[in-house]
Amino acid sequence: MRLLDRYVIRNFSQAYFYCIAGFVSIWLIFDISDNISTFIDEKFGFALTLRYYATQIPEISIILLPISLLLALLFSLGRMSRANEIVSMLTAGVSIPRVLAPLIGMGLLTVVASFGLNYSMAPHAEIAKKNFVAMARQHQYNIQGQIFRNRTDLRTWFIQNFRPGHDIFNNVQVLQQDEHDNIVENYLSPRVTYHSDTKTWELENVKVVKYDPTGNITDDKTYPSLKIEHWSETPFRLGSANVRAENLSVPELRDYLRYNADFPRTLLAPFQTHLQYRFALSCVCLVVVFIAAPLGIGYSRRGVLGSVATAIILVFLYEFLRHLFLALGVGDHISPALGAWAPNVIFAMIGLYLLYLRATNREGLRFQLASARRIFAR
């Protein structure tokens, strides 16, 4: 790494970490002020409160990283521009893309960190919040009255209650059907456990009733414990009817789409869109670099404030389009890939155009008020 790269990274990193720490501190202050009564009433305690916020910080970091990156780039590059350091680098023969190369590298590192958080921890933040409140209240957060239909293996599950993320199900009835939708077996058990290491279902005190094609009972037996190895269901699949796409990790989204491939397209659209969105959301940080870096560089003091205002407006416009395209993708009005990636592509092209203008020392299109008045006067 050249001395110039270390200097640019050092100036940027100081502002970047200060922005992250500042935003996280502001969020903590407001969140604690909103939830302090709940913490006291439910007797969270200091250790449980720390664990609670440890599960929430990944989700908040996904939001704060692009904003912190934007402000740090504008501040560090703007400060170097005001001190004529950028002009000195150009005079020494260093091009604008070469000056920004270490910052683009930092943007890529932020993309990796953002994707690591968004892969599993951030989507589970909402479920973790419910589980912590249930834990403090000394009762379990359960799902009541679950029905699951396995269309591939022709099995239907009726579950009275279970706790998400756990392998124990209470008061379960499983109906096995044939290809003509006739019930051939009926399993009744007060407690069913899934052993993930052997992928085996264990039914306790289970009653197994078998039927002939006309519906008559041919066999009726009760077993203290019955282990079944050939059932393809998993606890995640049984609870998938209650999940929301935005609360699932990347592996869970893939499993949901694989196991429920026979669902209508409109029902799968939210999960397909959010699977693409998990990757697209992480790449926002790189888009921010392409937008903020050329706007943060100014060759005159007068243009710095305008560049900062332009960057902020573009980011807010990006956020509007991101939510718009995501809603269109979730509603199956456009393809999932377009709903997730379209804002990134649009603003990456805008950023690359701004970078081209800055690298070639050209000005963008200016809207002159006097010229506009003459046009309307005509």
Side-chain angles (χ1 to χ4, degrees):
M1 184 181 296
R2 295 169 53 181
L3 180 63
L4 177 62
D5 296 334
R6 291 198 296 269
Y7 177 74
V8 173
I9 291 176
R10 184 171 65 250
N11 284 341
F12 164 77
S13 299
Q14 291 176 351
Y16 190 30
F17 290 120
Y18 279 134
C19 288
I20 294 175
F23 282 127
V24 170
S25 300
I26 294 173
W27 167 74
L28 279 174
I29 291 172
F30 279 96
D31 194 80
I32 291 176
S33 63
D34 288 338
N35 296 321
I36 187 65
S37 58
T38 302
F39 295 158
I40 295 175
D41 293 340
E42 306 300 339
K43 300 179 181 179
F44 259 50
F46 182 74
L48 187 59
T49 303
L50 286 181
R51 290 172 55 194
Y52 169 82
Y53 280 108
T55 62
Q56 301 304 303
I57 285 180
E59 182 182 26
I60 298 301
S61 299
I62 299 298
I63 303 173
L64 298 183
L65 282 176
I67 301 175
S68 301
L69 186 65
L70 170 70
L71 295 180
L73 284 169
L74 294 176
F75 176 79
S76 59
L77 291 175
R79 185 173 62 179
M80 288 192 292
S81 297
R82 289 193 300 272
N84 293 324
E85 293 177 351
I86 300 295
V87 174
S88 301
M89 296 176 189
L90 297 178
T91 305
V94 181
S95 64
I96 290 294
R98 183 63 187 85
V99 173
L100 298 179
L103 298 179
I104 295 175
M106 294 296 294
L108 290 174
L109 290 177
T110 306
V111 168
V112 174
S114 178
F115 178 72
L117 295 173
N118 204 27
Y119 188 81
S120 178
M121 291 186 290
H124 290 162
E126 187 64 28
I127 299 299
K129 182 186 298 185
K130 294 180 180 179
N131 287 333
F132 269 103
V133 175
M135 184 187 306
R137 293 175 179 173
Q138 296 181 351
H139 69 77
Q140 295 182 342
Y141 168 60
N142 293 332
I143 292 178
Q144 304 288 336
Q146 177 75 343
I147 300 176
F148 174 77
R149 172 64 175 167
N150 186 340
R151 295 173 177 83
T152 303
D153 298 334
L154 302 177
R155 270 191 302 275
T156 303
W157 292 63
F158 300 90
I159 306 170
Q160 183 179 25
N161 64 76
F162 68 97
R163 187 178 182 185
H166 289 67
D167 299 333
I168 299 176
F169 300 81
N170 301 314
N171 296 326
V172 178
Q173 179 182 13
V174 182
L175 299 179
Q176 178 67 61
Q177 297 171 284
D178 60 15
E179 61 274 9
H180 303 293
D181 292 333
N182 298 316
I183 298 176
V184 295
E185 290 181 327
N186 184 8
Y187 299 84
L188 297 167
S189 173
R191 181 184 176 93
V192 176
T193 305
Y194 180 74
H195 301 285
S196 57
D197 52 344
T198 59
K199 298 182 179 180
T200 302
W201 287 98
E202 181 180 0
L203 289 72
E204 301 177 11
N205 298 321
V206 58
K207 181 179 181 180
V208 181
V209 183
K210 296 184 179 181
Y211 304 88
D212 62 15
T214 60
N216 298 317
I217 297 177
T218 60
D219 192 16
D220 185 347
K221 293 182 179 179
T222 301
Y223 302 91
S225 177
L226 177 63
K227 293 186 178 181
I228 300 177
E229 299 179 354
H230 62 275
W231 283 357
S232 62
E233 292 86 353
T234 63
F236 171 75
R237 290 187 66 186
L238 296 181
S240 61
N242 298 90
V243 298
R244 297 176 60 88
E246 57 268 25
N247 296 331
L248 296 181
S249 64
V250 172
E252 291 170 345
L253 286 169
R254 288 173 174 167
D255 289 342
Y256 185 95
L257 294 172
R258 182 173 71 254
Y259 293 135
N260 302 302
D262 56 337
F263 279 12
R265 196 179 75 172
T266 54
L267 295 180
L268 294 180
F271 299 89
Q272 293 171 337
T273 303
H274 274 278
L275 179 59
Q276 297 283 340
Y277 184 64
R278 289 283 178 270
F279 298 91
L281 184 60
S282 303
C283 295
V284 172
C285 298
L286 190 59
V287 175
V288 168
V289 173
F290 287 132
I291 291 177
L295 292 175
I297 297 175
Y299 301 131
S300 63
R301 294 177 180 270
R302 185 179 60 182
V304 173
L305 184 59
S307 297
V308 173
T310 302
I312 295 176
I313 291 173
L314 287 175
V315 169
F316 277 104
L317 181 60
Y318 172 85
E319 287 296 315
F320 169 76
L321 290 181
R322 180 170 67 88
H323 287 89
L324 174 63
F325 276 92
L326 181 62
L328 292 175
V330 168
D332 196 31
H333 300 292
I334 58 177
S335 67
L338 184 62
W341 289 97
N344 284 10
V345 174
I346 294 172
F347 280 85
M349 294 175 63
I350 294 175
L352 291 173
Y353 175 69
L354 294 175
L355 183 59
Y356 166 76
L357 293 178
R358 187 60 67 193
T360 56
N361 197 19
R362 299 182 184 181
E363 294 291 341
L365 297 176
R366 290 184 175 181
F367 183 76
Q368 300 289 348
L369 183 60
S371 301
R373 288 177 177 175
R374 288 196 296 269
I375 292 174
F376 285 106
R378 293 176 183 177

